[in-house]
Each structure stands twice: as C-alpha cells, then as structure tokens.
Amino acid sequence: MAKLIGRHLPNIPWQEPEGTEKLPVWRYKGNPIIDRFATKNSNSIFNSAVVPYEDGFAGVFRCDSRSISMDLFAGFSRDGIQWDISDEPIALQGACPEVAKRDFRYDPRVCFIDDRYYVTWCNGYSGYPTIGLAYTFDFKTFYQRENAFLPFNRNGVLFPRRIREKYYMLSRPSDNGHTPFGDIFVSESPDLTYWGRHRLVMGVIKGDESAWQSTKIGAGCVPIETDEGWLLIYHGVINTCNGFVYRMGCALLDLEEPWKVKKRTKNYILGPHELYECVGGVPNVVFPCAALTDAATGRIAIYYGCADTVTGLAFTTVDRSTDAMDEVR
Ligand code: BMA
C-alpha cells in the first residue's frame, strides 16, 4: 500500500465511487465544474491548475476568449468546486521586456515550492511555444522569470521540492503545430533559470500493447510524492481517422532519480466517454493539469480539461492509482 507524503487536506473535494465504478478514476457527479462562459468574455475554460490556498483554494485558469486568444486568469474558491475566476487576464510583472512580450499563454500548472506558488505554462515567444515560468505569493501579483527552455516545448511541470538540492521540471519537446510525436523528459536546475542534465523519462508505446499512448504523451499534474515514488498523472494520445484522442494514465517515478520509471499504466485510467469530454472545441479530450491530495486519507482530486471547452473534476486514491500500474517492461 503506497502512502501519500505531504499535507493533510481535510477539505479536499471528494465523492465516493459508486459500486459500479470499474475504472481507477471516477468523475464528480456534478461535472463539468466550470462552464465555458464562466467569465465575461470566455469561449472556453479548461486545462487549468488549482492548489490549496489559505483556508480554501486558488488557481490559474486557461480561458480562451471569444476572439480565441489564449491567456491565463487567476481564480479563488472556498470548496474547490465553485470558482470565482477573474474577468481580466493575469498581468505578469518583472521580466525583461524581451521575455515579457505577450504572444499566447495556455495550459498552466501551479506548483508550491518553499514559500511561493510557481506557475508554468506553454508560452508563445516570437510565435514559438516554450515553457513560461512565473511565481506568486497571493494569486494577485505574478512575477515572470526567464522562459525555461528553448522552443519548441510544452507541458512543463515542476516537481514540488528540490531533489538532491536541485529543481526538476518535466517537459515535452515538440514542434510549432499540433505535434504528432512527443515523449516526456526531465531537466535539472540549480536556480530555475539555467536548465540542464536533460534525461528521457518515458516515451510513447508503439504497436497495440497500449495504443492509447502510441502517438505522444505529456506530463499532466505536478508529481505527487508517495513513499514508493513520484506518482505522475499524464496524458497519452492516439491518432485516429477522427484526429487525436487524449486519455489519462499514470506512472511511478523513482524518488531520487525521477527519470527512472518504476511502473506505468498499460490501460488508461480515464478516457473521453461523457458528452462534455467527447463534444466541444476539440472533441475527445481529457487533459489533466492539477491534483489536490490528502495525505491522511490517500485521496486525490484531479482537475482536467474536457474537450478543450470546460473543466472537470475526477477522483482516485493513491492505492487505486498505483494498483492500476504494471511493471515497466
Ligand atoms: C494540445 C494542447 C492542449 C489541448 C490538446 C487537445 O496540443 O494544445 O491545450 O488540450 O492539444 O486539443
């Protein structure tokens, strides 16, 4: 039985699975929790990240506007389910003008390290996607730092603590379009500015052994520390006659050498089955970007984008997710 390491979160959003639930992950009955029009000018709100904050929760949300401009918006919630999201995008401060130029911003992740909340996202730099980085103490003022990597890159996800004195970030090198390939890498940094010692963590699985993850994969939620390893919830993609289909899987990474995969799900743990996951701006997408955890009970609440349109909530436990994994071949 794996154990979650970390804080107790007695107010974690939670519903027990019904007897009929067969998959290791089950949906919140009130899904979607965030509607596409939840802010004044939004066309869609999805692929967003939340964390515990004060006696409730805070988050950074991807809202695409009705002109289909992609940007990041801050929000707050008392219960993690009803969200109050700003109508104005986050104004990033403090970066050198070359980095601060706004191009496009999407798919945020939020990671608490030491004393502050770091935000990573896919940041357009002169038209090229790379990993943007900023931090905040209060979800009101955000300070931007240097982009983490050269283009082309997406799905930058920080580890929530230093490993052997170094920061670690997962990422998925890509191209400038709707990337038809992609594996997960990890990079190390002494200071969150200079990144190196890049290592392959895991790749797609070719053939039909685990075909849902045969085209590309990318890190999803901030890795969750357990006594058996880092639990990584990620997305996997298959290319079909009808385009890409995004599903959710999980893996267990070595605590000290996080490029070493101990186990990984052969079967997906959540796929686009409900109407709001199958129909929308981009059909057939579940895209995890954040997880809340409660070390006392082993509960995990996953926030995920649905069909690039709305935001969903789903649940698992540390036992159910680790039991769903197979040994790595
Ligand atoms: C990826 C990203 C995600 C999106 C997904 C499905 O490449 O752009 O933001 O959810 O495609 O469209």
Side-chain angles (χ1 to χ4, degrees), residues 113-114 162 165-168 187-192 195:
I113 310 177
D114 297 337
R162 291 183 198 75
E165 315 279 300
K166 299 290 197 304
Y167 296 96
Y168 277 82
S187 308
E188 184 186 289
S189 173
D191 56 7
L192 291 166
W195 294 91

Side-chain angles (χ1 to χ4, degrees), residues 8-303:
H8 294 185
L9 192 64
N11 59 341
I12 188 171
W14 187 252
Q15 274 175 349
E16 288 296 325
E18 286 184 349
T20 51
E21 305 281 5
K22 287 202 291 273
L23 294 177
V25 171
W26 59 98
R27 293 169 181 79
Y28 176 62
K29 296 283 178 281
N31 265 357
I33 57 163
I34 302 173
D35 178 63
R36 64 185 304 168
F37 298 131
T39 69
K40 206 157 77 189
N41 195 37
S42 59
N43 168 72
S44 45
I45 305 179
F46 58 110
N47 299 5
S48 299
V50 314
V51 287
Y53 179 70
E54 295 184 338
D55 55 357
F57 303 90
V60 176
F61 296 84
R62 170 178 175 174
C63 304
D64 292 4
S65 71
R66 294 212 290 278
S67 67
I68 315 300
S69 153
M70 303 178 279
D71 215 332
L72 309 181
F73 294 69
F76 297 92
S77 171
R78 293 192 60 78
D79 62 4
I81 293 172
Q82 308 262 359
W83 284 90
D84 182 14
I85 302 172
S86 171
D87 290 325
E88 297 302 322
I90 290 170
L92 296 168
Q93 301 185 5
C96 95
E98 177 65 15
V99 174
K101 279 186 286 185
R102 188 194 164 278
D103 206 340
F104 53 81
R105 299 177 179 142
Y106 64 81
D107 294 0
R109 273 59 165 204
V110 180
C111 184
F112 184 74
I113 310 177
D114 297 337
D115 62 348
R116 64 194 71 187
Y117 302 89
Y118 288 94
V119 187
T120 52
W121 68 94
C122 177
N123 193 33
Y125 172 65
S126 297
Y128 304 117
T130 183
I131 309 299
L133 180 65
Y135 65 88
T136 182
F137 295 100
D138 57 8
F139 290 86
K140 292 187 177 115
T141 309
F142 291 77
Y143 303 93
Q144 189 174 8
R145 308 219 8 187
E146 289 292 315
N147 291 325
F149 303 120
L150 281 171
F152 303 88
N153 212 322
R154 293 186 176 92
N155 297 304
V157 179
L158 284 165
F159 282 72
R161 65 165 172 82
R162 291 183 198 75
I163 301 170
R164 288 173 284 103
E165 315 279 300
K166 299 290 197 304
Y167 296 96
Y168 277 82
M169 196 193 302
L170 300 163
S171 73
R172 209 279 308 285
S174 58
D175 64 10
N176 207 14
H178 301 296
T179 313
F181 62 88
D183 299 331
I184 299 176
F185 288 76
V186 72
S187 308
E188 184 186 289
S189 173
D191 56 7
L192 291 166
T193 298
Y194 297 97
W195 294 91
R197 290 171 54 90
H198 314 288
R199 299 282 183 270
L200 175 66
V201 177
M202 58 184 189
V204 298
I205 299 181
K206 292 289 179 198
D208 83 343
E209 188 189 348
S210 183
W212 64 271
Q213 49 184 334
S214 57
T215 298
K216 56 179 170 175
I217 56 173
C221 313
V222 167
I224 298 166
E225 189 167 5
T226 79
D227 60 345
E228 293 183 5
W230 295 104
L231 171 60
L232 174 65
I233 297 171
Y234 66 96
H235 67 258
V237 180
I238 183 174
N239 200 5
T240 73
C241 304
N242 196 35
F244 292 149
V245 177
Y246 282 69
R247 295 187 175 88
M248 206 185 288
C250 58
L252 202 61
L253 313 182
D254 186 85
L255 282 176
E256 289 302 305
E257 297 175 308
W259 53 91
K260 294 190 174 159
V261 182
K262 299 167 85 168
K263 286 169 156 189
R264 176 173 178 183
T265 46
K266 175 176 160 180
N267 296 332
Y268 63 80
I269 56 172
L270 192 81
H273 302 158
E274 296 296 328
L275 199 59
Y276 55 89
E277 298 162 342
C278 299
V279 177
V282 180
N284 302 319
V285 179
V286 300
F287 197 93
C289 284
L292 300 172
T293 60
D294 175 32
T297 56
R299 293 174 174 177
I300 300 173
I302 304 166
Y303 290 76

